[in-house]
Amino acid sequence: MLQVLSHSWALLLGMLLLMVGNGLQGTLLGVRGAIEGFSTFEMSIVMSAYFLGFLGGSKLAPQWIRRVGHVRVFAALGSMISAVLILYPTFAHPWAWTLGRVVIGFCFCGVYVTAESWLNNAASNENRGKALSLYMIVQMAGIVTAQALLAFGDPAGFILFIIPSVLVSISFAPILLSISPTPAFETTKGMSLKELYGISPLGCVGMALLGGVFSAQFGMSAVYGTEAGLTVKQISLFVSAIYIGALLLQFPIGWISDRMDRRTLIMIVAAVGGAGAVLGVLSGGNFILLLASGFLIGGTSNPLYALLIAYTNDFLEVEDMAAASGGLLFINGLGAIIGPITTGWVMSTVGPWGYWGILAGLMLGLAGYAVYRMTQRPAPSQSEDNVSYAPVMPSASPVAVGVAQEMFIESAQEEENHSAQADAPKG
């Protein structure tokens, strides 16, 4: 771990500051939108725009990197992020915010692609797993820290918008001044969505449903808090509970997934997440129960993201895994674009509890579909040929997913070589 820090501290420090800025502006907009008098549906459009930009960035950012290089793309996108963060309170209008969120989503995706490919280049085969784990921890730590900062300013003023802009601007300094060489960015062959669905219907349907879950819980959580009458401090604690659950339950669920039928675990985890959302509906505004609900929905949805990738990979050849993951990320992005719009419409129709109703419906729907798929074909054999669970967060770009897959593929190949050597005749 110390070796990873010595080689990648500048990148990790930059990403920590970047995620503080991103986490703060995401929650802050939900609170400030209520102050400005934006309707729930208008805020749902604003929140959906981020995922539209992110989806576009995943397609265009790699092309820009190959054309002009990592450093130029990184600096250009960082400057745009910092500028948009300052413009939010200056132009407090739903359509201006929508355009800003598209730009922010696009730029952050490009930044993730750049940073993650840099991290992959800096890591070796021996420490790549630790590097990916540290990267995930830094992301979650930054977002949770951002929620605490929300309580140290007035959402109706400018200071809370200036802070993330400054943090984003500072975050690029250690990365751009690093002496680490910039990596080469490579693309992989594609796979049609029809082919991907034929390989893993559960993976495709599950990713679409999870896209709605992620965008609702991360994009609309602050909007729900304001509609439910929570204070700014309570909203920051509520959003933090979601991310803390995502961080703490990721690895235990991953450990279990490598030791049982993944479909059974997907069904159980989704059902627990659905139960957590139902608890939110029944909480009656009790804040402790809301924190528990947030912890459960965050702690189950994030591992499900990596579980569905691992399950799909169980049916793939090694050379097809990267293309399949790109398709799954695209499907997840489509679900994420639709999620806030649907959630906002339901909340404006039935009230704040509709937030939990949408989450419960999506998670229980995933659990039910997993049960259905278990009746359609047998589980893949729990053998050494199965791909290990890779703990990847939904905010990761295709590069991070590729890093995780590469790490576990190499691990599996090493185990296979050791096994072959052990079985070889002696003498």
Side-chain angles (χ1 to χ4, degrees), residues 53-310:
F54 200 94
L55 195 62
S58 67
K59 299 296 182 182
L60 295 180
Q63 299 178 18
W64 289 4
I65 291 173
R66 288 194 301 272
R67 187 178 304 167
V68 301
H70 285 72
V71 174
R72 291 181 179 179
V73 171
F74 206 82
L77 296 181
S79 299
M80 293 176 66
I81 292 172
S82 184
V84 172
L85 292 175
I86 289 292
L87 290 175
Y88 278 137
T90 306
F91 300 99
H93 188 278
W95 290 116
W97 281 18
T98 299
L99 178 59
R101 288 282 286 178
V102 171
V103 175
I104 285 281
F106 181 92
C107 293
F108 266 110
C109 182
V111 167
Y112 290 151
V113 169
T114 307
E116 289 163 9
S117 58
W118 229 319
L119 180 67
N120 187 28
N121 185 72
S124 64
N125 291 342
E126 291 74 22
N127 61 23
R128 184 166 283 112
K130 296 183 180 67
L132 182 61
S133 298
L134 266 178
Y135 177 76
M136 289 171 46
I137 293 171
V138 164
Q139 277 197 333
M140 289 294 105
I143 295 175
V144 172
T145 301
Q147 310 315 310
L149 291 177
L150 189 63
F152 291 95
D154 182 8
F158 278 77
I159 186 65
L160 287 180
F161 290 91
I162 294 174
I163 290 175
S165 177
V166 171
L167 290 175
V168 168
S169 298
I170 295 175
S171 69
F172 301 122
I175 300 173
L176 296 179
L177 294 177
S178 173
I179 61 174
S180 300
T182 57
F185 190 91
E186 299 178 357
T187 57
T188 58
K189 66 176 184 178
M191 176 183 291
S192 70
L193 297 183
K194 182 178 180 181
E195 292 174 329
L196 183 57
Y197 180 82
I199 293 171
S200 179
L202 177 57
C204 292
V205 173
M207 274 297 191
L209 294 175
L210 273 185
V213 172
F214 290 138
S215 58
Q217 69 182 21
F218 297 138
M220 297 296 291
S221 54
V223 177
Y224 160 76
T226 57
E227 293 290 325
L230 301 182
T231 66
V232 173
K233 182 178 181 181
Q234 287 176 325
I235 292 174
S236 66
L237 290 174
F238 172 64
V239 177
S240 295
I242 295 176
Y243 285 103
I244 291 172
L247 181 61
L248 294 182
L249 298 186
Q250 177 87 248
F251 292 95
I253 292 176
W255 183 86
I256 295 172
S257 78
D258 289 335
R259 290 159 176 81
M260 64 179 294
D261 182 357
R262 295 196 211 273
R263 294 177 303 178
T264 302
L265 186 59
I266 289 170
M267 181 268 294
I268 293 173
V269 173
V272 171
V278 171
L279 178 63
V281 174
L282 302 177
S283 64
N286 184 291
F287 185 62
I288 300 300
L289 293 181
L290 289 180
L291 290 180
S293 299
F295 181 89
L296 284 175
I297 198 71
T300 53
S301 59
N302 284 272
L304 278 171
Y305 179 84
L307 270 175
L308 289 169
I309 293 177

Side-chain angles (χ1 to χ4, degrees), residues 8 12 32 43 56 91 96 201 213 284 322 338 342 369 376 393:
S8 305
L12 295 174
R32 181 61 177 266
M43 285 306 301
F91 300 99
V213 172
I338 300 171
T342 305
Y369 190 72
Q376 299 303 300
M393 306 303 289

Side-chain angles (χ1 to χ4, degrees), residues 5 19 142 153 164 180 194 229 258 282 303 322 357 374 381 387 397 415 418:
L5 282 173
M19 296 311 297
S180 300
K194 182 178 180 181
D258 289 335
L282 302 177
M374 291 170 68
S381 59
V387 176
S397 78
E415 291 180 2
H418 288 318

Side-chain angles (χ1 to χ4, degrees), residues 345-357:
W345 178 80
V346 172
M347 288 175 62
S348 63
T349 303
V350 304
W353 70 269
Y355 170 81
W356 294 112

